[in-house]
Amino acid sequence: MHGRRFPRLARKTRTPHTARSLLTALAALPLLLTAACSGGGTTAGTARADAPVHLTFWSALRGSQEVVDAYNNSQDRVHVDFEQVPSGQQGGYAKLSNAARAGNAPDVATIEYPQVPGFAIDGVARDLTDLVDDGLREKLLPQALDLTTFEGRTFSVPLDVEPMVFLYRRDLFDKHGIDVPRTWGEFEEAAREVKRAAPGSRIATFPTDGGHHLAGLAWQAGARWFDTRDDTWTVSMTDGPTRKVAAYWQRLIDQDLVFLGPVDTQAGTAQVGRGEVFGKVTAAWDAGGMMSAQPGQKGKWGVAPLPQWDARHPRLGVMGGSTFAVTKDSAHPRAAMDFIEWQVSSPDSLKARLSSGISTQYPAVGGLVPVAREAMDTSYFGGQDLYALFQREAAHISRRWTWGPRMTATLKTVQTGLARAGGGEGTVLDALEEGQRSTMPDLKSLGLDAREGPR
């Protein structure tokens, strides 16, 4: 199995001999349910000719309706009913949690990587270990599968994984004779050159609405915000690598070398549209976002590897990506898993998803990269082969990262702190410290042993 051993997510217990992993305990219920659905020698959830299976699927992902239509048209054994839900922090995850509490969650749901541990701990995401066959495991990028596999148990299946990259205005860098930075030291020097050459512009914006962005940068530097060795959650959102990242960006902010503010706003988009932003520290999917948001800048952009702390030993974090889970309420887990496998590995599925609009998502199944490449019009990026770059960069994703059990709340707190910093109150490090403080009560309320790591 590709996934590293995910240390125990132990709840507090009165006596040591009864202590066991929470995820190990959760694993038993879904497997029992799977066995109960199997009907003796029949595979769980497999439809007979006289009893077609109906599945429900909730997702916020664009193109999901097209995928479902293509799947339903491909066979008559299973029919999937699709419901579009709001994206995670806008209500989709709350809707899923409420449905699970009521016992009527959909068969299949889309869950982003940071939320997978929480839905596993809550018992919403079913243990898929015995439903994910070796053939599919071998197709998936190991770093992606790592993020959904805990203690050797797999709780969701990756669709895409998004290595961080640097989008840059090729024309503006060329005009001012500035080299595209390969390291963070070169990035800082390039930031100074941009400010000197074009005083009203900056090399990039440090996003105050970017909790995932900051996490990805810390991940690249070698941080481990969450660790569960010794059956205890250790929270270290201000560890040494994170402090290095926070100090670096704080210096750029203090010296007015980057813009500071939210990027997912009309004002942020307008800055890019006016050519005031030379680049964007982001992830693979956002190349497609730039194509959609700034069609008039076709031919002006390029994509480069994210600057490295040590160019001899490249390492990357992830910012974005989605997975599919079978919920505890599914009466047809095998059929649900078959649908998920088709979604993440079938060329027809990816073609259907891409038919809904521009996308540069990086598939977690490497065999689909040629399909994504063929569907992309590379003229926006001057004919650059983005998927060749994404493929090289994905291999550098660090496998040391673990998301925490309540990342939606944790990242929201961090972003609140970053917004204060954007208003002149506090620092990047202050936001991280507050994120850690707010996370500890959440973990303890789940009955998990938790402690703060060294700073």
Side-chain angles (χ1 to χ4, degrees):
M1 179 177 296
H2 285 307
R4 70 204 181 287
R5 182 181 182 275
F6 188 91
R8 296 183 182 275
L9 301 178
R11 285 188 184 272
K12 296 176 182 177
T13 52
R14 292 180 181 274
T15 55
H17 72 276
T18 61
R20 62 174 178 164
S21 158
L22 177 56
L23 287 182
T24 299
L26 288 175
L29 178 58
L31 291 174
L32 289 172
L33 289 173
T34 300
C37 294
S38 64
T42 304
T43 301
T46 300
R48 301 183 303 275
D50 60 343
V53 169
H54 281 260
L55 300 176
T56 52
F57 171 45
W58 291 1
S59 182
L61 295 177
R62 190 184 65 187
S64 292
Q65 184 65 67
E66 288 81 356
V67 169
V68 169
D69 290 343
Y71 182 75
N72 287 338
N73 291 333
S74 71
Q75 43 79 56
D76 56 11
R77 185 178 65 87
V78 176
H79 182 86
V80 177
D81 295 313
F82 172 64
E83 180 178 340
Q84 188 87 25
V85 296
S87 59
Q89 294 186 11
Q90 296 174 1
Y93 291 142
K95 179 180 174 71
L96 178 59
S97 295
N98 291 336
R101 281 193 289 270
N104 57 9
D107 294 279
V108 178
T110 301
I111 302 175
E112 295 164 288
Y113 289 104
Q115 282 72 35
V116 173
F119 279 111
I121 286 174
D122 291 344
V124 177
R126 180 184 293 260
D127 182 352
L128 301 179
T129 307
D130 291 351
L131 295 175
V132 181
D133 63 37
D134 290 341
L136 178 57
R137 291 183 187 278
E138 291 171 1
K139 294 176 184 177
L140 290 162
L141 186 72
Q143 292 96 321
L145 190 58
D146 278 354
L147 295 171
T148 68
T149 301
F150 317 131
E151 291 186 341
R153 314 300 296 183
T154 299
F155 284 83
S156 65
V157 179
L159 169 67
D160 62 319
V161 63
E162 306 297 340
M164 294 189 74
V165 295
F166 181 52
L167 271 62
Y168 67 100
R169 281 287 297 268
R170 192 192 309 269
D171 60 328
L172 296 178
F173 273 80
D174 289 346
K175 175 182 177 180
H176 297 290
I178 302 172
D179 293 332
V180 178
R182 297 168 301 169
T183 67
W184 287 115
E186 291 178 0
F187 185 92
E188 183 170 355
E189 181 52 39
R192 298 183 192 282
E193 293 181 30
V194 169
K195 184 179 178 181
R196 285 194 295 266
S201 299
R202 295 294 181 270
I203 192 170
T205 298
F206 183 82
T208 56
D209 54 353
H212 292 84
H213 173 272
L214 185 53
L217 292 173
W219 184 342
Q220 181 201 29
R224 298 187 74 170
W225 283 6
F226 295 89
D227 190 7
T228 50
R229 283 173 289 192
D230 302 323
D231 293 346
T232 299
W233 279 94
T234 301
V235 185
S236 302
M237 293 178 64
T238 57
D239 61 6
T242 304
R243 285 178 174 271
K244 177 172 72 172
V245 170
Y248 175 87
W249 287 98
Q250 192 65 53
R251 183 169 66 251
L252 267 59
I253 292 167
D254 292 344
Q255 296 181 12
D256 192 27
L257 296 178
V258 292
F259 289 129
L260 178 65
V263 295
D264 291 331
T265 62
Q266 290 184 347
T269 301
Q271 275 188 318
V272 175
R274 293 192 297 267
E276 296 170 0
V277 181
F278 276 48
K280 193 172 185 181
V281 175
T282 185
W285 62 268
D286 203 17
M290 187 65 68
M291 294 168 70
S292 298
Q294 303 290 345
Q297 295 182 356
K298 180 178 179 179
K300 297 180 179 181
W301 285 87
V303 184
L306 192 72
Q308 291 287 334
W309 291 104
D310 182 352
R312 296 168 301 174
H313 302 98
R315 181 168 52 193
L316 276 186
V318 168
M319 192 181 83
S322 297
T323 77
F324 297 121
V326 179
T327 75
K328 67 178 182 64
D329 295 330
S330 177
H332 305 287
R334 168 55 65 187
M337 185 63 232
D338 289 346
F339 170 54
I340 288 174
E341 181 167 357
W342 187 87
Q343 278 211 76
V344 304
S345 65
S346 167
D348 290 338
S349 173
L350 182 55
K351 290 175 183 177
R353 189 175 299 282
L354 294 176
S355 72
S356 69
I358 298 170
S359 172
T360 54
Q361 70 173 42
Y362 184 75
V365 170
L368 294 184
V369 170
V371 178
R373 177 186 285 117
E374 183 179 357
M376 184 183 175
D377 177 2
T378 61
S379 61
Y380 189 91
F381 293 95
Q384 182 179 359
D385 186 348
L386 297 192
Y387 279 95
L389 186 149
F390 295 160
Q391 196 160 28
R392 290 193 301 270
E393 296 307 292
H396 299 317
I397 296 171
S398 170
R399 300 177 72 170
R400 287 171 47 84
W401 187 264
T402 298
W403 289 109
R406 287 292 182 263
M407 286 312 303
T408 298
T410 297
L411 292 175
K412 183 177 181 181
T413 300
V414 171
Q415 290 182 180
T416 298
L418 293 177
R420 284 200 296 267
E425 299 179 9
T427 65
V428 175
L429 184 59
D430 290 339
L432 290 161
E433 289 177 338
E434 182 56 33
Q436 174 157 324
R437 283 193 296 270
S438 71
T439 295
M440 297 305 296
D442 285 346
L443 269 60
K444 292 178 180 179
S445 71
L446 292 170
L448 301 174
D449 287 312
R451 67 185 176 197
E452 295 191 57
R455 303 190 178 198

